[in-house]
Every structure is written in C-alpha cells, then in structure tokens.
C-alpha cells in the first residue's frame, strides 16, 4: 500500500496527465464542426438510454453508501437516479444538441473610418474544470454543454456519486468516439482523494482555464478561496419571495408552495418568505398554513407566529440559512421598501421573486435588487438554465464578471477580434 506522501505524488502525476490530455483534446474541439459535435451529443443521449439498467445499478451502489453514511434527505434526493430522471438527462443532452452553436458567432461588427472591418467573435474558453457533489446528472449536463461550446472538460464528482458518475461518463465517451472526437474531451477524475481537487484549483500547470464549482457552501467557499484560475460560482442559493399587498391571493398561494416545495434541495428553492405587512390577514394566514399543510416547517417572526400556532420562532441565523430542506423562514416587512432592505441585507444574490399586481412595485423590485435572477409572478424554481431555454446548465453564477445567472453554452465561450484590412498602416 502506498503511504500518504506517495499517494499525494501519484495524484499530482495523475492530475497532470489529465490536464495535458484535456489541453490536447481542446484543440480539435475548438475547430470541430457543429454537425460533428451534435452527432456526438445525440450518440451520448442514445447511449444513456441504452444503458439505463447499468447506470441505475451503479446508482444503487451510491445510494447504499449514502444510507450507510446517513446523508441528509436533500443530498440523497440529489444523488438518486431513476428511469424518469435518466430520461430527463438524455433529453437534456438532446436539447443542448438542438441549441445554436455559439462558436464562431459574430457578437458585433463595425467598420472604422480608415476602412478596417472589425468583428467580435465567440471562441471556446479552452479547458473547464467542474467540481461538484452528489448530483450525477451534472456529469452529463456539464459534459454536453462544454462540448457544444467547443471546450474540453475535467469532471470531479463527489465520492458519494462516484459509481453513477463513471457509468454516465462511459456513455459520454461512447458518444465522443462514435463522432470521431477525442475521448479525452470529457474526462472524469478517477479518484476520490481530495488532493485531486487541490491540483485542479492550482490549474494543472496552466491547463485549466476556468473552474466551475457546483455543490455545498463549504465546497464553493474552498474553491473561491484557493483557486488560482477564474471561477464561475455561487456560494449559496438564499432565495427570497416577497408577497406584496397587491398580489393575487390565489396565485400567490400556488406560487409560494411550488417555490419552496417542488424540490427543496435545489439552489432555486425559496428559503425566505417576506409578507407585506399591509397584506390582508386572511391571505397571510392562508399562505403560511398552505406551506405547513405541505409539510413545510415555517420559522417566523412574532407577526408570522401570530398567524398559526404551528409556526416556530425564527432566530437571527434563519435569515441567512440556505435550508435545502422543507423549512422556510418568514417575516413581515413594510412594503416593497422593507422587502428590498431585507433582501439587500441577507441575499446571496442568486434568485428573488415578487408576487404583485402593482406595476410600480414590480419595477422598483426589478430596478433596485441586484441578484442574478429576478422573477415576477413566477416560481423561483424556474431559476434553471433549461427553463430559460439554454438547455442544461452548468450552474448558476452570482458574480458579476463574465458569466451571471444560468451558465449555458454562450457563457462557456470567450471572444476574439477579427480585423480585416486592405493595406492600412498606422501613421
């Protein structure tokens, strides 16, 4: 057995090789035709459908370990695959294939007085490193998106999903090979040693161009703290819903339950409910009791506690907690100004929603809140690249540089300038 020191050296060597292979694969990918990339993607989707039994068997191994490790219900929900979810994974890849190819797209073009013709054109980023936890579907989502945008990708899934990740990855490689693209275009880190993450954060000797973390707060915080390459990330999805006095009561009741309870473990799930103090008391009570009836624990301030004896007292920490569970914090605020003040103080700048019929309230909400995604009269669960028409997403970015909101194929490109002249010299 290798000792700890030698294990680290082996990981460094392994990861360096993965980095070199990714960089080599990125070159033919950058110039691959749309038809070739789409052929690979469609073959990947077919391979996943043809190997459902194999993937589910691997996922059962991961789920068994998750039970033994006593993972939270939210993490187990993210980890679990079934036939319906795998059908969704395959369909997601096909949706990516149907997207317009961003590579070579002319973003802008203009002529200069001296006759120079200038174009700004989309180009692949190069090699992308994706570090994620629990969700084996990210393997397919990230692999497909990076391929469509002409990038090679290095995938480092969590140890809890290693069997599922490998099974899905085998289908992606099958698709690459069938289209004549290098198998190294999509690589999975084959070890669970955390040292592999450290090597990726260092950039693999300049072979990684950007890192995308997708997971819990501790993972993303580590990536943002240690990465020596650019990062597309969000620290957490602390999403707020504000219900204004002008809201349609029945619409609001339907939307808040969906925002919180459709899937509690995703980053677009509502975590804090803000009720306009001027909202009708019966409506406020119905909003809270609907959540409770849906088996959601409500933690409220004194005003919300007065609406139902089943509301538990909220503590200060609740306002800054991403539960990823059937729990929501709730308080009353003084109209739209109170809502903006609360969101500005506690938000992670991911997703916020306003339920209102007053157009001025909606415009104020949209203009003064600076989160990546803002919704009006729609569930926060729509904070998703697929729902935005981008195909699968690689994550939600809450920073302000380069990519923000759902990170789809366009966000996985950079650009270059093409300048055409006719003999001009600069005086």
């Amino acid at each position: 057995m290798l000792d700890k020191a030698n294990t680290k050296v082996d990981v460094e060597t392994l990861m360096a090789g993965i980095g070199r292979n990714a960089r080599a694969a990125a070159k033919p990918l950058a110039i691959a035709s749309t038809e070739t990339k789409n052929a690979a993607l469609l073959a990947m989707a077919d391979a996943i459908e043809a190997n459902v039994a194999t993937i589910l068997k691997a996922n059962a191994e991961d789920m068994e370990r998750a039970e033994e490790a006593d993972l939270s219900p939210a993490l187990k929900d993210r980890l679990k695959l079934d036939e319906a979810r795998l059908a969704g994974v395959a369909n997601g890849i096909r949706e990516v294939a149907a997207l317009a190819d961003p590579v070579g797209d002319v973003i802008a073009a203009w002529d200069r007085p001296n006759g120079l013709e200038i174009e700004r054109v989309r180009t692949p980023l190069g090699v992308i490193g994706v570090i994620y936890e629990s969700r084996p579907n990210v393997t397919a989502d990230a692999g497909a998106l990076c391929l469509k945008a002409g990038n090679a990708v290095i995938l480092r899934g969590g140890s809890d999903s290693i069997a599922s990740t490998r099974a899905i990855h085998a289908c992606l490689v099958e698709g690459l090979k069938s289209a004549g693209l290098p198998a190294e275009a999509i690589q999975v880190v084959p070890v669970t040693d955390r040292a592999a993450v450290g090597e990726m954060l260092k950039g693999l000797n300049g072979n990684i161009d950007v890192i995308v973390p997708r997971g819990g707060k501790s993972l993303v915080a580590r990536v943002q703290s240690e990465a020596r390459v650019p990062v597309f990330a969000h620290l957490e999805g602390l999403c707020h819903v504000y219900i204004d006095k002008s809201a349609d009561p029945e619409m609001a009741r339907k939307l808040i339950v969906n925002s919180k309870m459709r899937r509690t473990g995703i980053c677009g799930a509502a975590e804090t409910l803000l009720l306009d103090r001027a909202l009708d008391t019966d409506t406020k009570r119905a909003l809270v009791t609907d959540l409770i009836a849906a088996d959601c624990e409500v933690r409220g301030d004194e005003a919300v506690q007065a609406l139902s004896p089943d509301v538990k007292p909220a503590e200060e920490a609740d306002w800054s907690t991403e539960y990823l569970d059937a729990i929501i914090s709730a308080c009353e605020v003084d109209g739209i100004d109170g809502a903006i003040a609360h969101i500005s103080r506690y938000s992670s700048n991911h997703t916020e929603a306003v339920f209102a019929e007053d157009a001025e309230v909606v415009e104020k909400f949209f203009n003064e809140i600076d989160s990546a995604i803002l919704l009006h009269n729609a569930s926060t669960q729509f904070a998703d690249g697929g729902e935005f028409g981008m195909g699968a997403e690689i994550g939600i970015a809450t920073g302000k540089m380069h990519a923000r909101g759902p990170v789809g194929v366009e966000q996985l490109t950079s650009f270059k300038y093409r300048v055409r002249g006719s003999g001009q010299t600069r005086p």
Side-chain angles (χ1 to χ4, degrees):
M1 180 176 285
L2 296 172
D3 63 26
K4 190 172 182 179
N6 284 334
T7 300
K8 182 177 180 182
V9 169
D10 286 345
V11 170
E12 289 176 353
T13 302
L14 170 70
M15 296 306 296
I18 288 175
R20 288 193 299 271
N21 290 338
R23 182 60 69 191
K27 294 179 180 179
L29 279 186
I31 58 173
S33 69
T34 302
E35 292 73 21
T36 298
K37 291 186 288 187
N38 287 346
L41 290 167
L42 294 175
M44 290 175 187
D46 291 344
I48 286 173
E49 290 179 337
N51 290 278
V52 167
T54 300
I55 298 170
L56 291 182
K57 182 180 179 180
N59 186 246
E61 297 175 15
D62 290 333
M63 291 301 297
E64 184 177 348
R65 286 193 297 270
E67 291 291 344
E68 294 172 355
D70 196 27
L71 293 185
S72 71
L75 289 178
K76 284 189 281 191
D77 177 63
R78 292 182 174 194
L79 177 60
K80 183 176 176 57
L81 293 173
D82 55 29
E83 289 189 10
R85 288 190 176 181
L86 283 177
V89 169
N91 287 336
I93 295 175
R94 292 192 178 102
E95 288 174 2
V96 172
L99 295 173
D101 190 341
V103 179
D105 182 38
V106 178
I107 304 169
W110 62 96
D111 296 336
R112 296 293 296 147
N114 60 7
L116 290 178
E117 301 172 354
I118 303 176
E119 296 176 324
R120 186 186 300 130
V121 184
R122 291 194 187 279
T123 61
L125 287 168
V127 177
I128 298 172
V130 183
I131 303 170
Y132 53 103
E133 298 172 327
S134 298
R135 293 177 176 169
N137 63 291
V138 174
T139 306
D141 293 349
L145 285 166
C146 289
L147 174 62
K148 183 74 181 209
N151 301 295
V153 61
I154 300 170
L155 303 167
R156 202 286 187 179
S159 58
D160 51 358
S161 61
I162 187 67
S164 306
T165 295
R166 287 172 174 168
I168 291 173
H169 176 248
C171 298
L172 305 187
V173 171
E174 184 178 329
L176 288 168
K177 290 181 176 178
S178 72
L181 293 173
E184 294 80 12
I186 303 174
Q187 297 179 83
V188 164
V189 176
V191 295
T192 59
D193 193 323
R194 289 173 61 87
V197 173
E199 293 303 310
M200 291 179 69
L201 298 182
K202 294 176 186 175
L204 300 183
N205 301 312
N207 284 317
I208 289 183
D209 295 292
V210 66
I211 291 281
V212 181
R214 188 165 177 177
K217 186 174 182 178
S218 60
L219 167 66
V220 179
R222 179 190 177 190
V223 170
Q224 291 179 322
S225 173
E226 298 181 18
R228 299 181 188 175
V229 295
V231 175
F232 297 166
H234 73 266
L235 192 59
E236 54 192 338
L238 191 59
C239 305
H240 297 76
V241 170
Y242 166 61
I243 303 182
D244 186 68
K245 65 181 180 181
S246 68
D248 179 312
E250 293 306 312
M251 180 191 292
R253 290 176 65 180
K254 176 181 67 174
L255 290 176
I256 187 58
V257 172
N258 187 266
S259 293
K260 175 70 251 186
M261 297 301 293
R262 174 187 165 271
R263 286 190 69 183
T264 59
I266 65 173
C267 60
E271 305 289 21
T272 298
L273 169 61
L274 304 176
L275 297 169
D276 187 347
R277 203 177 306 279
L279 188 64
D280 176 79
T281 300
D282 288 341
T283 299
K284 287 188 284 190
R285 182 174 291 110
L287 289 161
V288 170
T289 55
D290 283 352
L291 286 164
I292 295 170
D295 294 325
C296 180
E297 178 182 316
V298 179
R299 300 178 183 178
D301 64 0
E302 290 184 3
V304 175
Q305 290 174 57
L307 298 172
S308 169
D310 294 320
V311 175
K312 297 183 178 181
E315 300 179 357
E316 176 60 29
D318 285 304
W319 312 120
S320 54
T321 297
E322 182 187 29
Y323 300 109
L324 299 175
D325 202 349
I327 306 169
I328 194 169
S329 58
C331 68
E332 289 193 359
V333 294
D334 292 321
I336 182 63
D337 290 325
I340 291 171
H342 186 102
I343 293 169
S344 297
R345 179 176 179 183
Y346 295 105
S347 175
S348 61
N349 299 120
H350 188 293
T351 296
E352 330 293 352
V354 56
F355 303 162
E357 297 303 314
D358 186 329
E360 291 185 7
V361 166
V362 176
E363 287 308 303
K364 188 176 182 68
F365 187 90
F366 279 179
N367 290 335
E368 297 188 22
I369 293 178
D370 191 29
S371 294
I373 301 171
L374 301 176
L375 299 124
H376 169 225
N377 286 351
S379 170
T380 60
Q381 300 261 337
F382 283 107
D384 174 87
E387 295 297 330
F388 278 32
M390 297 177 175
E393 68 177 35
I394 204 169
I396 304 285
T398 55
K400 296 185 180 181
M401 300 301 291
H402 184 77
R404 198 172 196 214
V407 178
V409 290
E410 287 188 3
Q411 290 72 31
L412 294 176
T413 61
S414 182
F415 57 82
K416 62 185 176 184
Y417 291 94
R418 297 193 301 216
V419 183
R420 292 183 172 89
S422 54
Q424 290 90 337
T425 59
R426 186 171 178 179

